Amino acid sequence: MYSRLHKHGYMRLRHLPEIRHYSGSILKKKEHLAKNIQPGKAVHGFLCSEIEHIKEYNITAYFLVHEKTKTEYLHLERDDTNNVFSVGFRTTPLDSMGTPHILEHTVLCGSEKYPVRDPFFKMLNRSLATFMNALTGPDYTFYPFSSQNEVDYRNLQKVYLDAVFKPNLSRLDFLQEGWRLEHTKLDDKNSELQFKGVVYNEMKGAFSETSSLFGQKFINTILPKGTYGYVSGGDPIRIPELTHEHLKKFHATHYHPSNARIYSYGSFPLEANLKFVNEAYLSKYDYLNPQDTIVAQQERWKSPKRAEIPCRVDQYGGPIEKQNQIAIGYVMSDITNIYETFMLTALAELMIIGPNSAFYKSLIEKNISGGYNSLTGYDNQIRDTLFVIGLRDVEKSKFETVEKIANQTIEDIFAKGFEKDHIESVLHGFELSIKHQSPKFGLNVLFNLMPLWNHNGPILNALKVNELLTKLKTNLMNPIYVKDVIEKYFLSNNHKLIMTMQPDPKFDDTFNEAEAKSLQSKVAALTKEDREKIYQDGLELSEAQKKVEQLDSLPCLKIEEITLNKTAPPLRHAVAETIPLQLCEANTNGVTYFKGVLGTESLKETQRQLLPFFNYVLDKFDTKSYNYRDFDKYVSKSTSGLSFITHITEHIDQQEQYEQGVLIGSHCLDENLPKMLDIWSEIFNKPNFGNSERMTMLLTNYCSSLTSGIIDSGHTYAMQAARSLISSVDQCKENLLGLHHVISMQEIQKNYKIDEIQSIVDQIAKQVLKGSNLRAAFHYSNTNKDIHNIVDKFCTELCKGDEGKELNRINWTDSGKTAKENRGIHISMNIPVNFCAKVIPTVAYTDPDFAKLRVLSRFLSSKYLHPIVREQNGAYGGGATITMDGVFNFYSYRDPNSNVTLDVFDKTADWMANNTSLVDDQNLFEAKLSILQQMDQPVPEYMKGIDLFLYGLSYDIWQTQRERVLAVQNEDLAEVCKKYLSADKWYGKCVIGEGVANLGKENEAWERLSGPQQ
């Protein structure tokens, strides 16, 4: 997977509101396990250079260097069962052929000890990993996994290390994963040739996402020297220039142990890791100087520069004349200067986030755009860090105005500085994030440290957040210090880029012409021998993809090695006035968590379609006691922020019923609980939505944000749209959360007057914001002695005037009847790849057949869909899953085909009937194991019992489901496949993308949905 961590990326691990670099939790201190490891002492070929206790997180950090190869190793010892391991490399290409990205895919296609095709995907079904992935960034590639089971951890360690150090890198794997020329009809030498390849199609999809394109072009332009001037993931037009030989040479230099960084975290013993890594791999290598992979600091510009790029028209976006973007960026500090990086992270939040920030006041509240774009923020993931302020949906005529305002805003910050309480609110956010518990803490640390470590930064010092925070508090309160920072990084900084992006109706044609020209050039240069080789390669690759492999060499957990780690949460149920409460005392580290559900079943349709917008604006207006700026300060200084999410969930047992509502939540330090609940009281007392200018601005920003990320999550949107054709509850979800909501909001924005919007939002508030309409859950630690009195007082206040009302219960909505005809929806979109889905209704979660279908979904994904949809047909991904309400989903991701893939979905039952011999004990166990991998994921302390609160899923029901999964028999899979998935069963389908001219079959009724700009 190609990962641009943070902004200019294809996998966003962090988003703008979570701009902070540091987060985590405190677990109880544990005696050091690595007692034999001491500074200056060698163990298993490694010399320990540093040992430090990081008190913020109760971590003991060990930094070691391999004596022979100079491989660096960081181990973080902590009493945490979710153990992490990773091996990473600095990968710095000087071209855009996608070498690191294609190499990342190809090393996972078989190795010396594990010579099977695609061991990475096969291990997904042979492991209880809580995380498995491989990621390519702008200047690094790393391979992380995590597991709570030590046998599993060692198994994955063996496969990962052999993959990176001893991969096969076969030519056929390169052709499959990277790019190849292949006949449109494999067995016809005279048929036309075409480009195929998994990464090739992935990057075509990535470059069709406007925000990804803008981010990529921005970094290439502002950091033009060296590796950042190129596309490490691969430019689709340049990918066909890559050769197999170049790939192997790149591996020999960049994947050498001397260029490696190895990381481990958790409670498993360090010495076992060191012994295995040294004996199996590192001891067999000599030192190779990694000097050529080092990224030099960018030479600073003497004057600002400008650039302009085109993009595709967003057919589901606003008017074309407004689909422009602008970004103003500055090259900031070196990533290895950890205090400057930490300080600039806080500075960016002060300047950008929330209604009290300078840029929000000067740019967002002017309502001259659709809000911040995806580049906005501080990017501390690359050698030369970047600060960017950017807007989306700006009229071209406003570009100059935006520049002037941005420049003036910086001048104003220089002159006036920041308000003290605004600084305090940002600093509080840092302090709260340190206390917040996370079961993926070890992974989060890795993701944050890897970019710094990649450039030889002081990683142990970066973990000492309290020291950084103490210094930051002093400095930010000093007006002279703030002036100096603004002068240095903004006013006197000439390394500045102003980039604009404008939609070009011919953008897709231009790409298609360039692709066709590249293809013609390749074909024209072919000799007779080359053509014969391409033909034979196509046949050989097809045979290899269809071959049934022996997987005995791959490790796999055994049933006796699997233990049930989860226990029933200690829940207590109570009632305060009319409000049902679910209370859970847990190890929350001095933080109290609140969640609530507000019923919305009584809303009229005109109100319901605006519910997601209502959630978006609810905490952005004046309240009874505060104006919206002061209210935001109060929230930021006391809590993590307020969340409002549209909540639609099916009855766990009754498929014909569902709950609709708003899920609300926040958390705070224990001592701030009265303030947090006072803040919620302000919300329940109904904000004043009378500010029409502000409502107009928020509506514009909301509508503008809706199309962001659709292409990155296209398969999710496709499955949701398909499910809406067979289920009234999913029709409700589609109208509020899917592409239909995007279109309906644009219609509302176009046709409704702002006072009508205000009136509807106010009506929703009056109906929903009532104590008698709330059910609530609290998680708290045993140090919070006053919680019961504080919560009781809060509930009493909320329910004033509701005397005599009954206890609030879940009000289930009866599902409407849906005509049982096979329907399809083609959501037309001008992108070069497709997202396909087929859905079939089956049984409820509590039905004994649900577990069988769940296991079947994993079996079909690994044995049928992945080999055909991905390996043979070139989609980036494909599989099957079943939702909690019993809808069986087939999907494909970044797929060059549509009808071909839908045919594969349709033939599932026939394939299953003809391949029952594949359902042997091992394959069945692997399918079960992949389900247990999902079910046994570690649960954060603040989420214990939440499945019961939100979905009615009790621990007993969950445990019964787990037992049923383990009890599934070989014959069950063919039985439920025939019973529920045969071709005559009722279904819905969806294709997002260009599709083909004749989608669908004779027995299917298809409709075509087009965006407003088509």
Side-chain angles (χ1 to χ4, degrees):
M1 158 171 263
Y2 184 47
S3 166
R4 290 290 198 192
L5 294 187
H6 196 25
K7 270 170 290 303
H8 31 87
Y10 305 114
M11 176 180 168
R12 291 178 185 79
L13 298 179
R14 301 184 7 248
H15 302 280
L16 182 62
E18 300 168 328
I19 199 168
R20 301 183 186 98
H21 190 81
Y22 303 90
S23 65
S25 61
I26 308 292
L27 295 185
K28 62 184 179 182
K29 189 174 180 181
K30 185 171 183 176
E31 290 299 312
H32 294 180
L33 297 173
K35 291 180 179 177
N36 295 330
I37 301 175
Q38 301 295 332
K41 184 179 177 182
V43 56
H44 300 300
F46 285 88
L47 184 68
C48 178
S49 60
E50 291 181 79
I51 299 178
E52 288 215 42
H53 181 67
I54 312 296
K55 60 184 178 182
E56 289 91 325
Y57 306 119
N58 273 338
I59 286 173
T60 302
Y62 299 80
F63 190 78
L64 308 99
V65 178
H66 191 254
E67 293 181 293
K68 188 179 179 186
T69 62
K70 307 304 180 192
T71 306
E72 294 182 355
Y73 193 116
L74 174 66
H75 176 68
L76 301 181
E77 182 180 274
R78 192 165 185 251
D79 187 15
D80 189 343
T81 58
N82 196 22
N83 288 257
V84 181
F85 187 85
S86 170
V87 56
F89 306 91
R90 189 163 53 220
T91 49
T92 49
L94 295 175
D95 56 62
S96 295
M97 298 187 296
T99 311
H101 188 191
I102 292 170
L103 181 60
E104 172 222 306
H105 279 245
T106 313
V107 300
L108 297 173
C109 288
S111 63
E112 188 177 277
K113 291 181 181 175
Y114 309 105
V116 300
R117 192 176 69 254
D118 217 348
F120 176 79
F121 276 95
K122 292 178 174 64
M123 284 303 294
L124 288 172
N125 297 328
R126 301 167 79 90
S127 161
L128 281 177
T130 55
F131 182 88
M132 277 180 71
N133 214 330
L135 304 105
T136 300
D139 52 16
Y140 57 79
T141 306
F142 66 114
Y143 299 81
F145 69 81
S146 60
S147 179
Q148 301 178 93
N149 183 301
E150 188 166 1
V151 175
D152 185 40
Y153 182 89
R154 302 297 170 200
N155 289 345
L156 290 167
Q157 193 175 57
K158 291 173 186 174
V159 174
Y160 265 58
L161 287 170
D162 207 59
V164 297
F165 290 127
K166 297 290 183 181
N168 291 337
L169 297 183
S170 77
R171 186 168 175 275
L172 283 184
D173 290 333
F174 167 70
L175 296 178
Q176 173 184 285
E177 297 298 317
W179 77 276
R180 65 187 183 274
L181 287 171
E182 186 173 279
H183 288 282
T184 50
K185 296 179 180 177
L186 267 183
D187 55 354
D188 183 0
K189 290 183 181 181
N190 297 316
S191 63
E192 290 185 4
L193 290 168
Q194 61 183 339
F195 285 131
K196 291 188 78 172
V198 172
V199 171
Y200 182 77
N201 283 324
E202 179 190 354
M203 295 312 294
K204 281 175 70 175
F207 268 59
S208 60
E209 176 67 79
T210 300
S211 59
S212 299
L213 176 69
F214 199 18
Q216 182 66 67
K217 295 294 184 184
F218 194 88
I219 191 176
N220 295 157
T221 309
I222 197 169
L223 301 172
K225 303 286 187 182
T227 194
Y228 299 138
Y230 301 96
V231 185
S232 62
D235 182 332
I237 301 301
R238 296 283 173 252
I239 287 174
E241 296 171 8
L242 179 62
T243 66
H244 184 222
E245 287 304 313
H246 183 79
L247 186 87
K248 291 193 290 185
K249 286 179 182 176
F250 193 90
H251 177 269
T253 54
H254 289 75
Y255 276 51
H256 191 279
S258 300
N259 191 43
R261 287 153 182 81
I262 301 176
Y263 170 90
S264 56
Y265 163 90
S267 57
F268 295 158
L270 167 60
E271 285 196 54
N273 290 348
L274 299 178
K275 185 174 188 294
F276 175 70
V277 169
N278 177 59
E279 293 179 358
Y281 298 99
L282 302 191
S283 63
K284 298 176 171 60
Y285 288 82
D286 294 318
Y287 176 69
L288 178 68
N289 193 333
Q291 188 70 27
D292 291 343
T293 69
I294 291 175
V295 179
Q297 273 193 285
Q298 201 78 193
E299 183 182 329
R300 294 299 194 258
W301 295 347
K302 291 182 172 58
S303 60
K305 297 186 179 181
R306 296 178 178 276
E308 183 180 301
I309 63 167
C311 65
R312 56 181 277 270
V313 173
D314 184 351
Q315 296 170 334
Y316 291 82
I320 295 175
E321 64 272 14
K322 287 188 176 181
Q323 286 188 22
N324 308 290
Q325 296 198 43
I326 182 171
I328 303 167
Y330 298 82
V331 174
M332 307 296 270
S333 66
D334 188 309
I335 192 174
T336 60
N337 189 331
I338 58 170
Y339 176 71
E340 290 291 285
T341 302
F342 188 71
M343 179 273 295
L344 288 168
T345 301
L347 190 76
E349 185 149 347
L350 283 165
M351 295 171 74
I352 293 169
I353 306 297
N356 290 291
S357 65
F359 278 111
Y360 188 95
K361 292 176 183 176
S362 65
L363 283 175
I364 303 303
E365 291 188 343
K366 285 283 191 297
N367 200 20
I368 56 174
S369 72
Y372 292 134
N373 63 21
S374 62
L375 274 72
T376 300
Y378 177 56
D379 186 352
N380 53 16
Q381 303 285 320
I382 51 181
R383 177 67 190 266
D384 299 280
T385 65
L386 303 175
F387 175 94
V388 182
I389 187 76
L391 299 177
R392 62 177 174 238
D393 289 350
V394 190
E395 290 181 12
K396 186 179 176 182
S397 61
K398 297 283 200 313
F399 284 163
E400 188 177 338
T401 303
V402 171
E403 274 190 67
K404 286 179 180 177
I405 293 173
N407 292 335
Q408 185 60 52
T409 303
I410 291 169
E411 294 275 4
D412 292 344
I413 295 172
F414 177 77
K416 301 174 185 176
F418 302 107
E419 295 177 9
K420 182 183 176 183
D421 52 359
H422 187 200
I423 295 172
E424 288 173 348
S425 67
V426 169
L427 293 174
H428 169 263
F430 279 84
E431 291 168 340
L432 183 56
S433 70
I434 293 169
K435 301 275 282 183
H436 175 61
Q437 300 270 8
S438 168
K440 293 191 175 180
F441 175 78
L443 285 165
N444 292 338
V445 171
L446 170 65
F447 291 144
N448 280 314
L449 284 185
M450 191 66 198
L452 174 65
W453 194 6
N454 197 47
H455 300 290
N456 304 319
I459 50 177
L460 296 192
N461 288 341
L463 291 169
K464 299 171 187 174
V465 186
N466 285 345
E467 291 181 14
L468 296 168
L469 198 52
T470 300
K471 184 177 178 181
L472 182 66
K473 286 178 181 178
T474 302
N475 285 339
L476 287 183
M477 291 298 181
N478 181 351
I480 296 173
Y481 177 83
V482 173
K483 275 184 182 290
D484 290 344
V485 168
I486 298 298
E487 173 70 41
K488 176 182 177 181
Y489 287 110
F490 293 96
L491 297 178
S492 298
N493 186 354
N494 286 319
H495 202 131
K496 173 183 177 182
L497 174 67
I498 301 103
M499 178 178 275
T500 58
M501 182 169 67
Q502 300 170 44
D504 179 0
K506 295 183 179 179
F507 182 83
D508 299 307
D509 294 336
T510 302
F511 174 82
N512 292 336
E513 288 167 11
E515 185 182 38
K517 186 176 179 181
S518 173
L519 180 61
Q520 289 168 5
S521 174
K522 287 282 181 189
V523 172
L526 295 175
T527 64
K528 184 178 180 181
E529 291 76 14
D530 292 334
R531 289 177 178 271
E532 180 63 26
K533 181 65 175 168
I534 288 168
Y535 175 69
Q536 294 299 332
D537 281 344
L539 295 177
E540 188 180 348
L541 180 59
S542 179
E543 283 302 310
Q545 289 167 338
K546 294 173 183 174
K547 182 182 176 182
V548 178
E549 294 183 293
Q550 290 298 319
L551 304 179
D552 296 343
S553 64
L554 275 180
C556 182
L557 276 178
K558 298 180 178 63
I559 188 69
E560 61 269 18
E561 294 167 341
I562 299 171
T563 56
L564 176 59
N565 295 320
K566 288 185 182 177
T567 56
L571 302 180
R572 192 165 71 83
H573 291 90
V575 174
E577 299 298 324
T578 62
I579 301 174
L581 300 174
Q582 179 175 295
L583 305 171
C584 183
E585 186 179 300
N587 180 24
T588 60
N589 193 34
V591 179
T592 300
Y593 296 82
F594 162 69
K595 285 184 176 60
V597 173
L598 296 163
T600 59
E601 69 285 343
S602 63
L603 296 181
K604 299 174 183 175
E605 193 53 43
T606 53
Q607 297 168 341
R608 185 173 291 107
Q609 63 182 347
L610 273 172
L611 183 62
F613 177 65
F614 169 80
N615 295 338
Y616 175 74
V617 303
L618 188 48
D619 62 343
K620 296 179 175 66
F621 283 89
D622 297 348
T623 69
K624 287 280 194 294
S625 309
Y626 302 90
N627 64 49
Y628 68 88
R629 294 197 205 281
D630 288 341
F631 186 63
D632 181 74
K633 289 176 190 173
Y634 186 24
V635 170
S636 299
K637 287 172 72 172
S638 311
T639 77
S640 60
L642 311 182
S643 70
F644 307 88
I645 300 170
T646 303
H647 174 71
I648 305 167
T649 185
E650 304 78 8
H651 196 296
I652 199 76
D653 199 32
Q654 302 292 329
Q655 286 183 297
E656 298 80 22
Q657 294 185 327
Y658 63 97
E659 180 191 22
Q660 46 184 314
V662 177
L663 173 62
I664 63 176
S666 61
H667 61 270
C668 66
L669 299 173
D670 284 351
E671 61 264 30
N672 286 332
L673 180 58
K675 292 180 181 178
M676 182 172 81
L677 296 184
D678 180 57
I679 286 167
W680 281 109
S681 294
E682 290 288 328
I683 293 291
F684 275 85
N685 282 330
K686 197 174 75 60
N688 180 357
F689 302 109
N691 186 335
S692 59
E693 187 177 332
R694 184 160 180 77
M695 185 68 81
T696 302
M697 179 271 291
L698 290 169
L699 179 64
T700 302
N701 286 4
Y702 177 75
C703 292
S704 181
S705 70
L706 289 176
T707 58
S708 179
I710 287 177
I711 296 173
D712 279 348
S713 304
H715 63 309
T716 304
Y717 282 96
M719 287 188 283
Q720 179 59 68
R723 289 196 298 267
S724 73
L725 303 176
I726 62 163
S727 158
S728 63
V729 58
D730 279 295
Q731 190 172 27
C732 179
K733 287 182 182 179
E734 172 66 15
N735 289 337
L736 297 182
L737 304 170
L739 279 168
H740 280 84
H741 178 63
V742 177
I743 294 172
S744 70
M745 283 306 300
Q746 287 168 346
E747 288 296 311
I748 287 171
Q749 186 182 20
K750 182 180 177 181
N751 298 322
Y752 280 50
K753 294 177 181 177
I754 201 64
D755 60 339
E756 294 176 295
I757 302 285
Q758 289 172 287
S759 175
I760 295 172
V761 168
D762 198 65
Q763 290 166 19
I764 297 172
K766 287 176 180 175
Q767 284 191 246
V768 171
L769 299 175
K770 301 174 185 176
S772 59
N773 192 38
L774 173 70
R775 55 190 180 88
F778 287 89
H779 289 76
Y780 54 94
S781 57
N782 58 11
T783 56
N784 196 342
K785 302 296 184 184
D786 297 327
I787 183 166
H788 300 293
N789 292 332
I790 295 169
V791 169
D792 194 59
K793 180 183 176 185
F794 168 65
C795 294
T796 301
E797 288 293 321
L798 285 193
C799 295
K800 273 186 180 176
D802 290 340
E803 289 82 2
K805 288 204 173 182
E806 294 183 4
L807 175 69
N808 179 37
R809 301 181 186 278
I810 297 177
N811 293 306
W812 297 103
T813 302
D814 291 329
S815 300
K817 296 295 181 184
T818 306
K820 289 195 174 183
E821 58 176 332
N822 296 330
R823 297 167 60 200
I825 181 168
H826 175 202
I827 300 174
S828 178
M829 198 173 285
N830 56 331
I831 53 176
V833 289
N834 301 290
F835 302 92
C836 305
K838 177 183 178 181
V839 299
I840 302 171
T842 61
V843 293
Y845 185 91
T846 52
D847 189 291
D849 279 352
F850 185 92
K852 299 173 186 177
L853 286 161
R854 199 170 182 179
V855 174
L856 175 66
S857 72
R858 300 310 305 150
F859 177 82
L860 292 174
S861 293
S862 63
K863 302 302 176 186
Y864 177 51
L865 298 169
H866 178 79
I868 297 179
V869 175
R870 186 183 193 273
E871 294 180 349
Q872 294 178 33
N873 294 340
Y876 183 61
T881 186
I882 186 168
T883 57
M884 194 178 284
D885 60 330
V887 178
F888 200 93
N889 297 250
F890 298 90
Y891 65 90
S892 70
Y893 184 77
R894 288 180 178 165
D895 190 345
N897 307 292
S898 48
N899 269 351
V900 173
T901 297
L902 293 178
D903 284 344
V904 171
F905 297 163
D906 288 342
K907 293 173 182 175
T908 297
D910 290 340
W911 178 88
M912 189 72 202
N914 295 328
N915 288 275
T916 52
S917 60
L918 285 178
V919 192
D920 57 22
D921 290 345
Q922 179 61 32
N923 286 336
L924 178 65
F925 176 65
E926 289 180 17
K928 293 178 182 180
L929 198 57
S930 65
I931 297 299
L932 295 184
Q933 185 185 106
Q934 299 167 2
M935 297 189 75
D936 292 356
Q937 285 279 332
V939 179
E941 293 288 318
Y942 62 89
M943 291 295 288
K944 289 184 174 179
I946 286 298
D947 282 347
L948 175 63
F949 178 70
L950 294 181
Y951 315 114
L953 177 55
S954 68
Y955 178 81
D956 289 342
I957 295 174
W958 175 87
Q959 191 172 33
T960 298
Q961 175 76 194
R962 192 177 187 278
E963 290 167 356
R964 285 174 173 172
V965 165
L966 287 170
V968 171
Q969 301 296 306
N970 301 45
E971 60 273 15
D972 290 338
L973 299 195
E975 180 187 315
V976 293
C977 189
K978 181 180 180 181
K979 183 176 180 180
Y980 297 106
L981 306 184
S982 58
D984 61 335
K985 300 301 179 186
W986 178 38
Y987 58 80
K989 289 180 179 178
C990 176
V991 171
I992 295 177
E994 292 286 9
V996 292
N998 299 306
L999 272 174
K1001 299 178 177 179
E1002 288 184 8
N1003 67 328
E1004 297 173 352
W1006 279 75
E1007 61 179 295
R1008 187 173 185 268
L1009 181 68
S1010 300
Q1013 309 309 327
Q1014 283 176 294

